[in-house]
Amino acid sequence: MGRVTDYLSLKLENKGSVARDHLANERTYLAWIRTSLSLVTVGVAIRQLYRMTIDLGDDANATSDTTAGDPLAGKVLGVCFVALGMAFVFVGLYRYFHSQLLMTKGKFPVSRTMVGACAVATLALLVGLLVSMFTDEH
């Protein structure tokens, strides 16, 4: 078992801020995972909320129960949030190993494009959710 962990583990001499930098890289990866899980949770919640049935009670105009929103819109938005959450896992994994590789070479990658793309994708889904909420005819 010792040989396997020796092969899989990267061992670096702890000079200067090496340990601190690599631990910060791990914390950043865990933040990507936490964000991913949050997006998946939002996706599942949206899907379930759009499937809910509202009891209209004694309303004179109501003939039966109705759903809380357009089920198709809820399904699409929910799936998109879950897919984005899954993508964040891969982005975080790529970012972790890429940063680790460059830190062993004394460099640090600035991830403007990746962070910008994630922000735009998340914002697009949130705008879609907002539009869905205000165009609901129920």
Side-chain angles (χ1 to χ4, degrees), residues 3-97:
R3 291 181 130 172
V4 172
T5 56
D6 286 345
Y7 177 73
L8 295 175
S9 296
L10 183 62
K11 292 185 178 42
L12 301 172
E13 189 174 340
N14 190 15
K15 289 184 177 178
S17 63
V18 171
R20 183 185 67 217
D21 293 345
H22 284 273
L23 290 172
N25 190 32
E26 286 180 18
R27 285 190 304 273
T28 302
Y29 172 70
L30 292 174
W32 281 100
I33 296 298
R34 185 175 58 243
T35 302
S36 169
L37 291 173
S38 296
L39 287 168
V40 169
T41 302
V42 167
V44 170
I46 288 171
R47 176 71 179 114
Q48 293 302 319
L49 285 173
Y50 274 78
R51 289 180 61 201
M52 285 177 57
T53 303
I54 300 172
D55 182 12
L56 297 175
D58 294 331
D59 189 357
N61 296 328
T63 57
S64 65
D65 293 343
T66 184
T67 58
D70 180 14
L72 180 61
K75 185 181 285 188
V76 169
L77 282 169
V79 166
C80 287
F81 270 98
V82 170
L84 185 63
M86 291 168 59
F88 271 44
V89 170
F90 292 111
V91 168
L93 193 63
Y94 170 79
R95 174 88 176 130
Y96 173 76
F97 284 112

Side-chain angles (χ1 to χ4, degrees), residues 50 67-70 131-138:
Y50 274 78
T67 58
D70 180 14
V131 167
S132 173
M133 288 169 45
F134 283 108
T135 59
D136 189 18
E137 297 176 9
H138 293 285

